[in-house]
Amino acid sequence: MADITISGGKKISGSIKLSGAKNSILPILAATVLISGKSIIHNCPELSDVEAAVKILEHLGAIVITEQSTITVDCSNLKKYDIPDSLMREMRSSIVFLGAIAARMGKASISSPGGCELGPRPIDLHLSALADLGLKIEEEYGILNCSCGNELIGTDIQLSFPSVGATENVILAGVTAKGITVIHGAAREPEISDLADFLNRAGANIQGAGSDIITIYGTSALHSTEHTVIPDRIEAATYLAATAVTGGKITVLGAIPAHLTPVMSVLKSAGCELSVKHNEVSLIAPVKLKRVPVIRTMPHPGFPTDAGSPLMAMLTIADGSSMFVENIFENRFRIVDELKRFGAKIYTNGRVAVIEGVKALSGATVECTDLRGGAALVIAALAANGVTKISKIHHLDRGYAKLTENLRSLGAEIERS
Ligand code: UD1
């Protein structure tokens, strides 16, 4: 298995162009299942999670052509309605295919996604919302067998937590349902709006995406369409934090600054100078990073949980103590033990982590525990004096396209072997 080796302690500087958002392309690929025709999707990131989603589409009977960053999916002739266990295991978030497959095929059969690297990932909100739309769900030996007869029926759905995946699943199921579906307490992440934009271009009628009430007027059929995926705000946050920790300068090209507001506010508190133009965000790091008293991860528009680990790594060498309160995923702090190998001082208690800034980090031998934790290790390694070896980098491949190439172009000494 491949490893990454980084010789740290060097400033990184320059500019990088963001990839399309991982968390947009995955539900959009699931949405192509609803379209009896071609979906041409531009700005697709080269990620293993995207490959996994493409394998699911091909298993269902779709014809998928990838040309550079454009993926064309033709779902005119779908034959299957199941997702094999091996594909579900490759990408736990493939649960988002459930609403789309059930809506298109009248039935769906998938294995229960079970636990993932961030701990148990329940799907109760997905299942109860889909059941409200008329999907009958039976679980047998870990397989969810679902059917809805001829059609799903629109209704009012109340989510008790603004789950991103559950909101997407209901949108996918509601688009061709009979009547009107209203989601109360919907997730407001930019990727939800991107999914709605894609579907509306294909003839859906979804109103209110980006707010906590989304109304979906059922449409009988969707048509071929073309769409460009929004830039990845978490990739942007990662490169900004990586630059801040090395004392460098960066311009992130192709960003949507409004999506980065909570991350930029933490970076500013840490003493970074930020400037924003129409489609770019620039950062100049301070000589010494300052502590950030408290960062609380929250659903959008709060501070994103996915940016927590990268910014935690950045704050390990800040002047003073910072605190993280993780409100979304209980196992985010699994990466803390690996960060401690660099000499970081981090204390955790349940959902709270206190990071006591140290003068410097030293290179270490570490392994990724999850995708964003892996990014935190890369950031710590860039700051650390000496050589770091990072293993289990398949986690990074799930969410960062061309990571080593991008960092090398910014002046980092980084090798993948
Ligand atoms: C998505 C993102 C992930 C991000 C997360 C939160 C994708 C592919 N992944 O994940 O990168 O970290 O949003 O912004 O878009 N929950 C339940 N029951 C459910 C569903 C969720 O209890 O049925 C809980 C989860 O355990 C978690 C919280 O709700 O504690 C948030 O999960 P959710 O918003 O659903 O995250 P994902 O859609 O899985």
Side-chain angles (χ1 to χ4, degrees), residues 63-80:
I63 296 165
V64 186
I65 297 167
T66 304
E67 278 169 313
Q68 292 169 347
S69 64
T70 296
I71 299 182
T72 304
V73 185
D74 187 344
C75 285
S76 301
N77 294 305
L78 296 189
K79 294 178 184 70
K80 293 194 175 147

Side-chain angles (χ1 to χ4, degrees), residues 301-332:
F303 183 90
T305 175
D306 287 348
S309 302
L311 271 86
M312 177 188 280
M314 180 191 85
L315 290 168
T316 57
I317 55 163
D319 194 7
S321 296
S322 308
M323 185 162 82
F324 266 91
V325 183
E326 172 54 52
N327 291 309
I328 312 293
F329 286 113
E330 60 200 50
N331 281 11
R332 277 284 182 211

Side-chain angles (χ1 to χ4, degrees), residues 70-212:
T70 296
I71 299 182
T72 304
V73 185
D74 187 344
C75 285
S76 301
N77 294 305
L78 296 189
K79 294 178 184 70
K80 293 194 175 147
Y81 57 85
D82 69 306
I83 304 180
D85 189 47
S86 56
L87 293 179
M88 280 304 287
R89 280 176 197 273
E90 263 188 58
M91 188 180 60
R92 305 269 172 201
S93 50
S94 34
I95 183 69
V96 80
F97 274 85
L98 178 59
I101 297 175
R104 171 78 188 266
M105 308 298 280
K107 50 193 169 180
S109 170
I110 64 165
S111 64
S112 183
C116 76
E117 65 260 28
L118 293 178
R121 211 151 177 168
I123 53 165
D124 53 312
L125 298 173
H126 299 241
L127 298 186
S128 69
L130 293 174
D132 287 349
L133 290 169
L135 191 66
K136 290 187 186 62
I137 304 165
E138 284 170 10
E139 183 168 2
E140 203 179 22
Y141 304 113
I143 304 288
L144 298 168
N145 290 311
C146 311
S147 62
C148 64
N150 283 339
E151 59 192 0
L152 294 161
I153 313 279
T155 187
D156 271 35
I157 287 167
Q158 177 72 52
L159 292 178
S160 56
F161 182 86
S163 156
V164 173
T167 302
E168 290 164 351
N169 239 330
V170 176
I171 291 175
L172 293 170
V175 159
T176 54
K178 187 175 179 198
I180 302 170
T181 302
V182 184
I183 312 174
H184 302 269
R188 292 183 282 166
E189 270 66 5
E191 294 76 17
I192 304 273
S193 304
D194 204 24
L195 172 65
D197 287 347
F198 169 78
L199 284 164
N200 284 341
R201 281 211 174 99
N205 187 353
I206 304 164
Q207 309 286 331
S211 78
D212 61 353

Side-chain angles (χ1 to χ4, degrees), residues 165-378:
T167 302
E168 290 164 351
N169 239 330
V170 176
I171 291 175
L172 293 170
V175 159
T176 54
K178 187 175 179 198
I180 302 170
T181 302
V182 184
I183 312 174
H184 302 269
R188 292 183 282 166
E189 270 66 5
E191 294 76 17
I192 304 273
S193 304
D194 204 24
L195 172 65
D197 287 347
F198 169 78
L199 284 164
N200 284 341
R201 281 211 174 99
N205 187 353
I206 304 164
Q207 309 286 331
S211 78
D212 61 353
I213 300 182
I214 300 178
T215 307
I216 305 148
Y217 299 90
T219 318
S220 55
L222 300 182
H223 52 72
S224 296
T225 191
E226 196 161 348
H227 181 78
T228 300
V229 174
I230 58 168
D232 197 311
R233 63 199 165 99
I234 306 303
E235 187 190 31
T238 303
Y239 284 107
L240 292 171
T243 308
V245 85
T246 65
K249 283 183 198 181
I250 193 169
T251 298
V252 174
L253 304 169
I256 299 180
H259 294 173
L260 287 161
T261 305
V263 169
M264 288 197 289
S265 118
V266 170
L267 291 165
K268 275 184 196 154
S269 304
C272 300
E273 207 182 301
L274 281 136
S275 54
V276 161
K277 280 198 201 150
H278 172 54
N279 262 340
E280 53 185 69
V281 173
S282 300
L283 175 145
I284 303 175
V287 176
K288 178 79 185 164
L289 286 163
K290 292 195 281 185
R291 69 187 276 264
V292 179
V294 192
I295 300 164
R296 292 187 172 82
T297 65
M298 304 286 266
H300 193 79
F303 183 90
T305 175
D306 287 348
S309 302
L311 271 86
M312 177 188 280
M314 180 191 85
L315 290 168
T316 57
I317 55 163
D319 194 7
S321 296
S322 308
M323 185 162 82
F324 266 91
V325 183
E326 172 54 52
N327 291 309
I328 312 293
F329 286 113
E330 60 200 50
N331 281 11
R332 277 284 182 211
F333 296 157
R334 276 181 60 196
I335 200 61
V336 164
D337 282 342
E338 298 299 309
L339 287 172
K340 284 182 183 170
R341 290 172 174 247
F342 292 92
K345 285 199 176 154
I346 307 173
Y347 311 93
T348 56
N349 187 354
R351 291 178 175 272
V352 177
V354 173
I355 303 114
E356 194 183 311
V358 294
K359 283 216 161 59
L361 302 178
S362 312
T365 300
V366 289
E367 59 181 48
C368 302
T369 54
D370 62 273
L371 166 58
R372 307 302 171 187
L377 298 181
V378 170

